[in-house]
Amino acid sequence: MVQTLSKPETLLLKPGKLTPNNPRLPVLLYRQAVEISGADPAAKFEALFDRNGWPSAWRNGVYPYHHYHTGAHEALGFAAGSARLLLGGPGGVEVTVHAGDIAVLPAGTGHCKLDSTADFLVVGAYPPKQNPDMNREAATPEKIARIAALSFPPSDPVSGANGPLLALWRAP
């Protein structure tokens, strides 16, 4: 079940030495977006993402090293536990996420797990026809160009075709 949502928290991250981040598109943090209940709360995130046009791709955690994707925007649904994440690469912004939260990371956003509870579980999803390549090295001009050229998703992974992502990512 999706909770009644307010506007997500936004973080616009500046480019760093290791991670390019995305100078135009903010990270979106939806707090308590999904009610955590039942034997398989991850299935609720998978159904939500699939219904809203962001096919669910995996269940796991967040890597404990800085990385970013040039070929895909990424939705992370936190199905169990909690974690401290660092967004934006070294010197970035530390955020704490809990079961029920969802983060939407625009392509180029550096992210890594600082620590988590033992039961931390994440569902990952990407817009159709986008590929989450793995990058751990400083961005080249070609990688930055690939991020800038990546298409906008057709919908918000949390709220669908009328969700806040569409306005927040297209606003000047």
Side-chain angles (χ1 to χ4, degrees):
M1 172 182 210
V2 177
Q3 307 290 347
T4 301
L5 295 175
S6 58
K7 187 175 176 180
E9 297 172 29
T10 59
L11 298 170
L12 188 59
L13 302 170
K14 294 179 180 177
K17 290 182 180 179
L18 177 66
T19 59
N21 298 313
N22 198 305
R24 296 181 305 125
L25 308 178
V27 170
L28 306 180
L29 294 171
Y30 293 89
R31 300 297 188 171
Q32 296 303 296
V34 174
E35 181 182 349
I36 299 300
S37 63
D40 187 13
K44 293 181 179 185
F45 289 91
E46 292 165 339
L48 176 68
F49 294 155
D50 291 347
R51 181 173 62 250
N52 289 321
W54 287 56
S56 54
W58 52 265
R59 291 182 182 197
N60 200 343
V62 174
Y63 292 119
Y65 49 80
H66 297 285
H67 65 284
Y68 61 94
H69 311 294
T70 65
H73 305 296
E74 182 172 42
L76 301 173
F78 304 105
S82 63
R84 287 186 318 119
L85 306 178
L86 187 59
L87 302 178
V93 177
E94 184 179 314
V95 298
T96 300
V97 294
H98 302 277
D101 294 347
I102 295 173
V104 183
L105 309 180
T109 301
H111 51 294
C112 79
K113 178 182 74 174
L114 298 173
D115 60 44
S116 67
T117 57
D119 61 341
F120 184 56
L121 178 63
V122 182
V123 173
Y126 308 95
K129 299 179 183 174
Q130 293 190 3
N131 299 305
D133 57 343
M134 177 65 72
N135 294 275
R136 296 182 63 189
E137 306 294 328
T140 62
E142 293 80 13
K143 289 181 180 183
I144 292 170
R146 184 171 183 206
I147 292 165
L150 191 64
S151 64
F152 286 109
S155 62
D156 183 306
V158 180
S159 302
N162 297 314
L165 175 145
L166 300 175
L168 291 168
W169 280 16
R170 286 190 168 89

